[in-house]
Amino acid sequence: MNFWDSEVWTSIAIPAVLLLSLLIANIIKKSIPFLRNSLIPTSVLGGIMLLLVDAIYKSFAGVRLLDTALFGYNGTNAMEIITYHCLALGFIASSFKPAKEKLTKERSVEIFNTGVTTVSTYLMQGLLGIGLTLFYAFLIDPEFFGVAGTLLPYGYGQGTGQALNYGAIYENDYGFVGGKSFGLAVAALGFLSAALGGVIYLEIIKRKYNRHRQSEDTPALSLGDVQGPDEIPMNGSIDKLTIQVGLVVCTYLLTYGVMNLLGSLIPSLRSVLFGFNFLFGVLFGTLASFLISKLRQGGVIKKEYVNPFLMKRISGFFFDVMIVAGLAAIRLEVISSYWMILLALGIIGAVSTFVYNRFVAKRLFPGYSEEQFLVMYGMLTGTASTGIVLLRELDPDFKTPASDNLVYQNFPAIVLGFPMMLLGTFAPKNPTATVIILAAAFLLMNVILFRRKLFCRKKDMQKQNQDSSK
């Protein structure tokens, strides 16, 4: 092997082209007023730009740019692998956070309701998505993979990584040709829905309440935001960032070991287990954070090793790279025949998520309904960071509880939503039962969500009837 051989530089060329796309997209977004005023994330813009450059190159050279010698003749698959890993790494970094402050009963209820709203929206997206694609397969294209619509909540509600995971399961285990690209395309439509829907709603708010959108620039950070008390120094004998990255990567290695062990014990569930890499990562990241905290309290560890500020930055880095890689991995030639159903899925996903979350926000979060709606709509069509971007346009200082709701709702959402995630692999085996389960679960989630209004109203009516009988 010579150091000038292309295979030596492949491991550098692939991340370099992703980061170059992000840098160029950032320059373009800052330079063009229309894009600067839009809510399209820079990572989405970078991914679309890389996808278009790749397509143009193929039209002239006959092969994808990502599949040339510089990228090891396999750059497209590498993009899928990067998307898969970055999903889990980003979530693991997010799980290393300080213990939650004590919450009041009312705030706990609002956080729980936010988690239920998340799961309920997943169920609604899944129900509408599978209903649409089953209808399409029955009336228009009998050869189409009828349960492809179950990718809608994974692409919209959970983002690029999960859309790829389940698309890969459908492609590899159930013969859905182009399943991975189909899932990634759904996720891309979700980001566009978040940006367009957010812009439309913000303009409505601006006209109705005379409220103005905020600048994209964030306030300056204080030293306390970067360096907490009793933390290890920023650049001691080992760099502080190295410690944070080491914790994240070692946790992911542990995650792989456990998934591999479980996959060996239960071979029939290997695809599902590895599809939940992010969930196992969050579990072990939370356990690692808890263990470090206990060792610190017991005096075994003298200094604080986890820095929330750096962990947020690491998480943001992985999610940005994930989005660019996920969009670049889309195989346009594979999904070109699916454009009609993809467009229909994108529209029904955007409209239903918009209407349902607006309905919930107005009735259950009356004190900050606009902020709650924006953060939930952004998250449930894009990612949590998309929700924060939308929220900052109305609440730049996060004075309302909407941002905290978004963070703390993860636990109830995971507990309540985990069975729904298993339906993704059950759907190809029994589509009819899947539709029935989704409908019943959606109804149940809404009963839980509006429990106070439903049961308190019933009690009030019974009391009125008792008073009138007297």
Side-chain angles (χ1 to χ4, degrees):
M1 180 183 66
N2 299 307
F3 289 127
W4 53 84
D5 292 339
S6 59
E7 56 265 27
V8 174
W9 291 92
T10 297
S11 58
I12 295 296
I14 291 175
V17 76
L18 291 173
L19 297 174
L20 179 63
S21 299
L22 275 169
L23 293 174
I24 295 175
N26 187 59
I27 294 172
I28 293 174
K29 185 175 172 65
K30 296 288 186 182
S31 304
I32 301 176
F34 167 74
L35 292 174
R36 185 170 62 246
N37 295 327
S38 75
L39 298 175
I40 298 176
T42 301
S43 53
V44 173
L45 188 62
I48 293 174
M49 182 181 66
L50 183 55
L51 181 64
L52 291 176
V53 170
D54 192 65
I56 293 171
Y57 182 90
K58 184 178 181 180
S59 67
F60 288 100
V63 63
R64 294 193 67 169
L65 175 63
L66 293 173
D67 292 333
T68 56
L70 180 61
F71 302 104
Y73 300 103
N74 202 25
T76 304
N77 287 336
M79 294 298 172
E80 294 174 352
I81 293 171
I82 290 171
T83 303
Y84 172 79
H85 288 313
C86 283
L87 172 70
L89 290 166
F91 271 107
I92 290 171
S94 298
S95 68
F96 280 95
K97 55 183 179 292
K100 302 174 186 177
E101 297 179 359
K102 189 175 181 180
L103 300 172
T104 64
K105 181 179 179 181
E106 189 59 33
R107 286 290 300 118
S108 299
V109 169
E110 290 177 341
I111 290 167
F112 177 76
N113 286 342
T114 303
V116 177
T117 304
T118 298
V119 177
S120 186
T121 305
Y122 290 165
L123 293 166
M124 178 193 66
Q125 290 172 340
L127 182 61
L128 293 174
I130 191 173
L132 178 63
T133 52
L134 285 173
F135 180 80
Y136 178 82
F138 181 74
L139 290 182
I140 300 175
D141 185 4
E143 300 298 320
F144 182 69
F145 188 68
V147 298
T150 52
L151 290 171
L152 182 59
Y154 300 117
Y156 269 52
Q158 297 185 9
T160 309
Q162 275 297 82
L164 174 66
N165 286 353
Y166 276 88
I169 291 173
Y170 290 166
E171 183 171 329
N172 298 331
D173 296 352
Y174 298 100
F176 178 23
V177 178
K180 289 182 285 188
S181 290
F182 191 93
L184 292 172
V186 171
L189 289 171
F191 283 110
L192 294 178
S193 299
L196 294 176
V199 168
I200 292 171
Y201 188 74
L202 284 168
E203 288 301 319
I204 293 173
I205 292 296
K206 179 180 176 181
R207 295 175 185 274
K208 186 175 181 180
Y209 299 105
N210 196 28
R211 296 172 71 172
H212 299 284
R213 290 178 57 200
Q214 304 295 326
S215 168
E216 190 185 50
D217 297 329
T218 56
L221 293 167
S222 65
L223 181 61
D225 295 324
V226 180
Q227 179 74 28
D230 295 325
E231 287 188 0
I232 57 174
M234 189 64 70
N235 54 351
S237 58
I238 182 173
D239 196 274
K240 195 171 188 175
L241 179 61
T242 306
I243 295 288
Q244 314 307 305
V245 174
L247 288 171
V248 172
V249 174
C250 289
T251 300
Y252 194 36
L253 182 61
L254 174 63
T255 300
Y256 166 71
V258 173
M259 290 190 303
N260 198 42
L261 175 62
L262 292 175
S264 300
L265 296 174
I266 319 172
S268 60
L269 291 180
R270 186 183 294 271
S271 295
V272 177
L273 291 170
F274 277 86
F276 286 140
N277 64 328
F278 79 101
L279 194 56
F280 283 104
V282 168
L283 174 63
F284 289 114
T286 303
L287 289 175
S289 180
F290 176 78
L291 178 61
I292 292 172
S293 177
K294 287 300 179 183
L295 292 175
R296 177 88 169 88
Q297 292 174 11
V300 178
I301 297 177
K302 305 300 181 183
K303 291 285 187 178
E304 184 62 64
Y305 278 79
V306 178
N307 181 274
F309 172 79
L310 290 178
M311 283 298 186
K312 287 180 182 177
R313 303 285 71 78
I314 293 170
S315 176
F317 168 78
F318 282 126
F319 286 144
D320 280 339
V321 173
M322 177 193 75
I323 292 168
V324 177
L327 293 177
I330 295 175
R331 302 172 193 265
L332 294 176
E333 70 278 5
V334 174
I335 64 169
S336 59
S337 58
Y338 299 145
W339 70 268
M340 183 187 300
I341 189 64
L342 276 169
L343 182 60
L345 274 175
I347 292 172
I348 197 172
V351 173
S352 61
T353 305
F354 188 103
V355 172
Y356 179 71
N357 279 273
R358 184 73 188 107
F359 177 84
V360 172
K362 287 181 67 175
R363 283 155 182 79
L364 297 183
F365 304 88
Y368 52 100
S369 60
E370 284 84 7
E371 291 83 358
Q372 178 71 12
F373 163 73
L374 281 172
V375 78
M376 293 301 290
Y377 176 75
M379 180 187 70
L380 290 167
T381 51
T383 61
S385 59
T386 313
I388 292 297
V389 168
L390 290 175
L391 176 63
R392 283 190 60 246
E393 299 296 328
L394 289 185
D395 185 15
D397 299 321
F398 301 134
K399 294 180 180 178
T400 67
S403 59
D404 288 338
N405 291 348
L406 181 67
V407 174
Y408 296 143
Q409 60 86 32
N410 283 298
F411 180 71
I414 288 174
V415 172
L416 294 172
F418 183 73
M420 186 279 298
M421 297 174 70
L422 295 176
L423 284 175
T425 54
F426 177 74
K429 302 173 185 176
N430 198 328
T432 303
T434 301
V435 171
I436 295 171
I437 293 171
L438 286 171
F442 178 66
L443 179 61
L444 176 61
M445 286 297 111
N446 279 279
V447 170
I448 295 173
L449 190 59
F450 294 100
R451 60 197 178 280
R452 287 186 170 183
K453 293 186 177 294
L454 291 171
F455 299 114
C456 289
R457 183 178 300 174
K458 185 176 180 180
K459 289 180 180 179
D460 292 339
M461 291 179 64
Q462 289 176 347
K463 185 177 180 180
Q464 289 177 4
N465 291 335
Q466 290 174 358
D467 292 338
S468 60
S469 64
K470 293 179 180 178

